[in-house]
Structure formats: C-alpha cells, structure tokens
Amino acid sequence: MTDFDSSVASSERAGSDTSVDPNTSVNTDDDSQPGAFLPDRVREWREKIAQNPTIDLVYRIVVGVIGAVVLVVGIIMIPYPGPGWAVVFVGLGILASEFSWAHRLLLFARDKYDKFEEWYKRQHWSVQALFGIACVILVLLMLWALGVLNAVAGWFGVHEQWLASPLFG
C-alpha cells in the first residue's frame, strides 16, 4: 500500500470527514495529508491512477524524480540572488503531493521560514543591514569559488591571481 493509499485509508478509519461541499471546489481536508492542498479534480485523477498498481508506481517514481531534481536545483540556488528558496518550496511541494515525509517537511520548513521572516521584520534596521551585507558577501564568495568573478574580470582585461577559483584553478 502506498503512502497516498495508506493516508486515505487511515483517514477513513479515523472517521474524518473527507467529503467535499458540492457548492465549493475547496475540500474540507486539513493540511496533514499528502496531496491535501491539491484541487479536487487533481485529487480525483490521482485516485484513479492509484487504482492501477503499475501506473501508480510509475507515477510516484516520476513525481519523486521531478521533485528531487527541482529541490536540488533550489538548494543550489539558495546562496545566489534570485528565487532559491521559492524553488526549494516548489520542489518540496511536488514531493509533498505524493510522499507524507515530504509533506511533513514542507509544513515544518514553511513554519520555520515564516517565523524567521517575522523575527527579521521586527529587527532594527542595522540588524537587517548586517543580514543584507552578509548575504552579499556570501554571494560574492560563491561567485569567487565557482570562478565567475575571474571570468567576468577577464572580460575587462583584469587578470589578478586572487580572483582565481580555489575549486577550478
């Protein structure tokens, strides 16, 4: 039995109301089950796939691979300017649509991220500025380590030894 099937079976055994109000397209499930955040049509389609064990296994493998790739790309993107954390959450969301461990991790990560954001907003501007400076330094260190600074400096005829990447020489 898959995580998806066992979560549906356990919620039915527990007597929880998984019915959908016919007047709305939002389901009454709580956020504790994988796929609970999916629209009703997608959930119905997923339940049809779950009826065939072979197709269900292939579907779960494809979702797992796609989610893992997006998650790894997001983790790599975190120290760079741009949507690194957003990509991490998208990857976890893809995995959470199928796997209960990823669903729990997504809820945990979202909670911690929201708490950090609230804490950060309450800080004095000087603390926020220090965080900003630390982020810029981290980005510059990553660009230096990957050899990007040396490559860009070369475009302008600057060939300093200290710009060379420690990883790629």
Side-chain angles (χ1 to χ4, degrees):
M1 184 177 282
T2 63
D3 286 344
F4 182 82
D5 294 336
S6 63
S7 67
V8 170
S10 66
S11 67
E12 288 172 357
R13 280 193 303 269
S16 64
D17 182 20
T18 58
S19 63
V20 176
D21 182 3
N23 297 327
T24 180
S25 64
V26 177
N27 61 52
T28 58
D29 285 341
D30 62 338
D31 286 344
S32 64
Q33 299 299 325
F37 56 87
L38 294 174
D40 292 336
R41 274 196 277 168
V42 175
R43 289 170 53 95
E44 291 169 5
W45 176 75
R46 178 63 187 103
E47 289 171 8
K48 287 180 186 175
I49 288 176
Q51 293 173 359
N52 183 329
T54 305
I55 295 174
D56 186 48
L57 178 62
V58 170
Y59 177 83
R60 288 174 60 85
I61 289 170
V62 169
V63 168
V65 168
I66 291 172
V69 167
V70 172
L71 180 63
V72 168
V73 167
I75 290 170
I76 291 169
M77 291 172 58
I78 288 173
Y80 299 106
W85 280 109
V87 176
V88 167
F89 285 123
V90 168
L92 276 175
I94 292 169
L95 291 169
S97 71
E98 239 359 84
F99 304 103
S100 58
W101 64 266
H103 186 78
R104 289 189 306 270
L105 181 59
L106 178 62
L107 293 176
F108 175 81
R110 233 188 326 190
D111 180 57
K112 295 301 178 188
Y113 184 84
D114 290 343
K115 286 180 180 177
F116 173 77
E117 186 178 25
E118 289 172 15
W119 174 85
Y120 181 77
K121 288 179 180 178
R122 290 191 312 265
Q123 300 309 303
H124 189 265
W125 67 267
S126 61
V127 174
Q128 291 179 355
L130 284 175
F131 267 94
I133 291 168
C135 287
V136 168
I137 290 171
L138 179 63
V139 168
L140 289 173
L141 284 173
M142 293 297 293
L143 293 173
W144 169 69
L146 294 174
V148 174
L149 291 182
N150 193 31
V152 172
W155 297 345
F156 298 100
V158 177
H159 302 285
E160 296 292 328
Q161 183 63 28
W162 64 271
L163 286 172
S165 168
L167 301 176
F168 303 113

